[in-house]
Amino acid sequence: MSTPIPLIRSTLLAQFPYARLAQSTRQGEGADAPFGFNLGYGLGDDDTRVTGNIARFAARLDLDPEDLAFMKQVHGDTIREITQAGVYDDTDALITRQPGVGLTVRTADCVPVMLYAPGENLVAAVHAGWRGTAEHITQKTAMRVIEEFGVEPEALYAYVGASAGSCCYEVGEDVAALFPEGWVLRRDEGNPHLDLKGLNTHQLEQCGVPAANIEVSDHCSIHEETLLHSWRRDAQRSGRMLTTIVLQEEI
Ligand SMILES: [Zn+2]
């Protein structure tokens, strides 16, 4: 078996023994792999290679690939509560209380937001690009966790994952107009930059989640070209990363 693949972990969530979280990177394959360590199908990469990569990633979380729950993400605001692994159509957020089901978000530049309520033994996973962020997908998911599952906001923890940073994420004025000015950065003559991670963090804070309960990744997918995949940077040559959170199975 090959050496373990590099992962990005959450320091904040790692303090809890009953949930595991990891985000994959571009790294983990030889230089001959045109898409790097790619976990996305249908991009032009070899399907067999992708399947093997997904298995290697899952193994780092002590999971089999069939333990993962995937979303066919559509940049919408559909949230599903699930009890088993599989592929869920037309979905951008998943919630589960089922141990051993790995909720998975597939991204290049979009923000994976992973939620954990230790007291209720509940996890959630959100795919938030600019469209989903404009539709408040993260806020809606957190509110559902709070209102339907009785989780106190102070007892909710979050990881806002590696994704397009405000340093690099340019948008047009039409997109910028959808967001509060505080998260639209105008530093020079060029296009405005959008702070997607900041917006999603703000949506969690709007639900009452304390800032101390939210870990925001510093990594920027667009300029960290050796570490991360980026659609914005590589377009048709871009692979995909997975971020997965799973509740520990009963012992
Ligand atoms: Zn950047």
Side-chain angles (χ1 to χ4, degrees), residues 23 92 105 107-114 126-130 133 137-138 159-164 195-198 200-201 216 243:
Q23 182 168 11
D92 285 277
V105 183
T107 63
D109 295 315
C110 294
V111 187
V113 180
M114 316 305 276
V126 183
H127 164 248
W130 70 259
T133 302
I137 179 75
T138 293
Y159 170 71
V160 178
S163 49
D195 183 2
L196 269 187
K197 285 184 278 190
N200 283 282
T201 302
V216 184
T243 308

Side-chain angles (χ1 to χ4, degrees), residues 165 167-168 220 222-223:
C167 41
C168 299
C220 168
I222 299 175
H223 78 253

Side-chain angles (χ1 to χ4, degrees), residues 83-245:
T83 56
Q84 56 189 13
V87 180
Y88 293 87
D89 286 337
D90 186 24
T91 302
D92 285 277
L94 293 171
I95 300 171
T96 195
R97 305 180 72 166
Q98 184 65 45
V101 174
L103 304 185
T104 299
V105 183
R106 185 177 262 130
T107 63
D109 295 315
C110 294
V111 187
V113 180
M114 316 305 276
L115 305 178
Y116 177 43
E120 295 297 321
N121 213 32
L122 174 152
V123 288
V126 183
H127 164 248
W130 70 259
R131 289 182 183 85
T133 302
E135 294 196 41
H136 297 87
I137 179 75
T138 293
Q139 189 162 355
K140 288 173 180 172
T141 305
M143 282 313 296
R144 188 152 160 189
V145 166
I146 291 164
E147 292 177 350
E148 284 189 26
F149 296 89
V151 173
E152 296 293 332
E154 299 79 12
L156 192 55
Y157 292 80
Y159 170 71
V160 178
S163 49
S166 60
C167 41
C168 299
Y169 190 51
E170 289 185 32
V171 295
E173 291 292 348
D174 53 336
V175 172
L178 300 172
F179 297 98
E181 273 299 313
W183 286 270
V184 177
L185 311 177
R186 299 177 188 279
R187 291 175 175 146
D188 48 39
E189 300 286 306
N191 285 325
H193 288 208
L194 191 61
D195 183 2
L196 269 187
K197 285 184 278 190
L199 277 158
N200 283 282
T201 302
H202 178 63
Q203 289 185 17
L204 293 168
E205 291 176 349
Q206 291 284 94
C207 299
V209 180
N213 288 17
I214 307 169
E215 177 175 336
V216 184
S217 172
D218 287 335
H219 290 295
C220 168
S221 54
I222 299 175
H223 78 253
E224 294 185 49
E225 67 268 18
T226 58
L227 182 66
L228 300 168
H229 289 300
S230 169
W231 167 261
R232 184 62 73 93
R233 184 188 64 232
D234 295 334
Q236 305 294 341
R237 303 298 294 171
S238 164
R240 296 291 184 275
M241 303 172 290
L242 295 184
T243 308
T244 295
I245 190 164

